[in-house]
């Protein structure tokens, strides 16, 4: 009996020391979605937004009917040169932390645009995550604010 009671107490203490897992389905909030206008003759543009995941997640893909291809890109400096490339494994989204996709950093590239994007238009984007349900957003077309 004493062993049974001692075991129950140890299990209770062990459970108290564990962090509780998030409850409910994973969600990702999206804000400040913006795509740059494209000059005539260009068929690519960058899009920016802020993502906040309720639980640790990953942005794994992006799609848009205005483009033949959409990719998640990163900007980094290698050997003193700025380099841009696709994040093939997607973009990590830590739980509760706002992750900004912004000029000069991580961003979305729309490639093979079907027509140029003009300021004042809106671009539909579908964001797909590892855990959360896909999120559809409408990004305004305009110039991002100048970096401070």
């Amino acid at each position: 009996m004493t062993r049974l009671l001692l075991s129950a107490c140890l299990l209770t203490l062990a459970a108290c020391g564990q962090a509780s897992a998030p409850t409910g389905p994973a969600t990702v909030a999206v804000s400040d979605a913006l795509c740059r206008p494209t000059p005539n003759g260009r068929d690519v543009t960058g899009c920016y937004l802020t993502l906040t995941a309720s639980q640790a997640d990953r942005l794994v893909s992006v799609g848009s009917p205005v483009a033949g291809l959409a990719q998640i890109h990163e900007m980094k400096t290698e050997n003193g040169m700025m380099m841009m490339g696709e994040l093939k494994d997607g973009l990590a989204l830590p739980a509760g932390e706002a992750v900004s996709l912004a000029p000069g950093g991580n961003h979305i590239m729309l490639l093979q645009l079907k027509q140029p994007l003009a300021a004042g238009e809106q671009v539909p984007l579908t964001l797909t995550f590892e855990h959360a349900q896909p999120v559809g957003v409408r990004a305004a077309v305009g110039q991002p604010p100048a970096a401070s």
Side-chain angles (χ1 to χ4, degrees):
M1 178 73 167
T2 303
R3 282 187 185 176
L4 182 60
L5 191 54
L6 182 60
S7 295
C9 287
L10 289 174
L11 286 173
T12 302
L13 286 174
C16 289
Q18 295 177 354
S20 61
T23 58
T27 59
V28 178
V30 181
S31 61
D32 304 321
L34 179 76
C35 294
R36 286 185 187 269
T38 53
N40 288 334
R42 297 289 306 212
D43 70 345
V44 300
T45 194
C47 298
Y48 316 106
L49 44 78
T50 300
L51 303 168
T52 306
S54 64
Q55 300 173 26
D57 210 333
R58 180 172 294 278
L59 175 64
V60 294
S61 68
V62 180
S64 178
V66 305
L69 183 63
Q71 297 176 337
I72 306 159
H73 277 205
E74 70 174 334
M75 294 288 291
K76 61 184 175 183
T77 303
E78 283 185 11
N79 299 324
M81 293 183 62
M82 288 295 288
M83 307 290 285
M84 178 177 65
E86 182 180 10
L87 289 169
K88 294 197 183 287
D89 294 331
L91 179 66
L93 303 174
E97 187 176 312
V99 176
S100 293
L101 284 74
N106 295 332
H107 59 278
I108 295 167
M109 283 298 296
L110 298 181
L111 306 137
Q112 303 166 8
L113 289 170
K114 297 175 182 173
Q115 63 186 32
L117 302 179
E121 296 178 341
Q122 290 194 341
V123 175
L125 300 171
T126 301
L127 310 174
T128 304
F129 304 94
E130 188 172 56
H131 302 294
Q133 291 294 309
V135 174
V137 297
R138 297 191 71 77
V141 177
Q143 290 296 335
S148 53

